[in-house]
Amino acid sequence: MKVLITGITGRVGANIAQRFLDRGDDVRGFVWPGDRQAEKMKGLGAEIIEGDLASSADVNAVVDGQEVVIHLGAAFQAGGPFTPEQYFDTNVKGTFNVLEASKNLGDKLKHVLITSTDATMFKYPEGGIADPITEDSLPLSTTDWYGYSKVLCESLLNRYRAQDDLPGTIIRFANVWGAGEILNFGQFHLSHFLKQFESRTDGAGKATYEILQAESAKTDGGPRLIVARDANGRPWKKHQVEVRDLVHAYDQAVGNPATYGNVYQLGSKEPFTWDVLIPYISEKTGIPYSTVDLAINPTFYEYDLSAAKNDFGYAPTLSLFDMVDEGVRYNAEGGGGIIPTSV
């Protein structure tokens, strides 16, 4: 099978590429000119073509002759900063170009998968979200340019599916961690919230900042974890996803007609709460922790993954505790810092 992956040098794209190469597929990658990881992907056996997603000529050329298109390339939050124009040109126009070129493949096209994000949904209302979030339980509405560009991308796929019967699927990612990155997640660390609250001028914000400063002083400003809770003392809850579970999802979904025209939210096998995970990280790393009620809208949500499980057998396997143990082993072996995703 001939598989095109845009954004192939990213941590998700590289791992998906490796999986399809291992399956014996012909993998082509589309990268920005001068991408420093391109040679590494060539060494793994992928064909690499340089170009610009905003160029219809470049996209038409790279899509030509392919059977499956996995569209991961994008301007995204962690890679920026990007201007609104860059978000529009790369994400919206780029997705339009990918879909138009895919349509022109005609019967040769088996599947096109458009990557989206849970940033299309407002997940942080006052009080959090009590019920598991399904693919259509929240309106797609955002003022953030990255999230809004992805709302438009989803709409484009829906148009091509309805008008041209394109065999297309939308895959929404939760917050993505690579192998071992769990230990470096900012919201697990008290220093993250010190920075967030230091500029607050309202009474509740200033009071929270004083509490955070006092907790930080217990370790003389050294590393300290935090069990984040809302103003009522309820621990935060979050759902994320690990790269290897995403690889499993694409392995299962590609070419599956049951997915055509649908959107799927992907997440790890379970959500986590700060009061359970942080003490475990503390035990494994020796870093002390504090429990603080934060005067901000809480992170409190989880996803209903039943659509992906029912339609294409999505079965994420990595537990949060396994991820912590893996990160600790890596640090013990002298890795340190953010763990690069293996490919």
Side-chain angles (χ1 to χ4, degrees), residues 167-223:
T169 303
I170 297 166
I171 303 290
R172 284 190 199 138
F173 292 176
N175 179 66
V176 180
W177 287 333
E181 290 180 359
I182 186 172
L183 298 181
N184 300 325
F185 185 55
Q187 292 176 12
F188 291 164
H189 297 270
L190 190 143
S191 57
H192 169 88
F193 292 102
L194 277 170
K195 216 174 266 190
Q196 185 172 354
F197 277 89
E198 65 182 355
S199 60
R200 288 275 292 268
T201 58
D202 60 293
K206 290 166 68 175
T208 300
Y209 183 59
E210 290 177 2
I211 293 170
L212 292 169
Q213 284 182 307
E215 294 301 315
S216 179
K218 293 178 180 179
T219 47
D220 294 323

Side-chain angles (χ1 to χ4, degrees), residues 11-16 18-19 173 176-182 240-252 266-269 314-327 329-330 339-343:
R11 56 181 178 175
V12 178
N15 281 272
I16 292 174
Q18 182 67 78
R19 173 58 185 146
F173 292 176
V176 180
W177 287 333
E181 290 180 359
I182 186 172
Q240 51 68 242
V241 68
E242 216 266 6
V243 167
R244 285 164 289 185
D245 285 330
L246 293 178
V247 172
H248 158 70
Y250 279 87
D251 192 30
Q252 291 289 112
L266 300 184
S268 58
K269 64 184 290 189
Y314 179 56
T317 60
L318 295 167
S319 77
L320 277 296
F321 303 109
D322 291 338
M323 295 179 205
V324 171
D325 293 345
E326 183 176 58
R329 284 196 302 271
Y330 180 83
I339 300 167
T341 302
S342 61
V343 298

Side-chain angles (χ1 to χ4, degrees), residues 121-139:
M121 301 177 287
F122 181 62
K123 308 184 301 298
Y124 306 106
E126 185 176 350
I129 301 174
D131 296 327
I133 301 170
T134 64
E135 284 76 4
D136 58 0
S137 62
L138 295 178

Side-chain angles (χ1 to χ4, degrees), residues 75 87-88 91-92 144-154:
Y87 277 123
F88 190 88
N91 295 356
V92 184
D144 170 78
W145 267 108
Y146 171 66
Y148 184 60
S149 72
K150 288 297 188 175
V151 171
L152 296 176
C153 292
E154 290 193 14

Side-chain angles (χ1 to χ4, degrees), residues 32 53 72-80 82-83 86-91 145-146 149-150:
W32 292 106
L53 282 168
L72 295 163
F76 65 103
Q77 293 158 318
F82 295 102
T83 66
Q86 288 171 318
Y87 277 123
F88 190 88
D89 284 348
T90 301
N91 295 356
W145 267 108
Y146 171 66
S149 72
K150 288 297 188 175

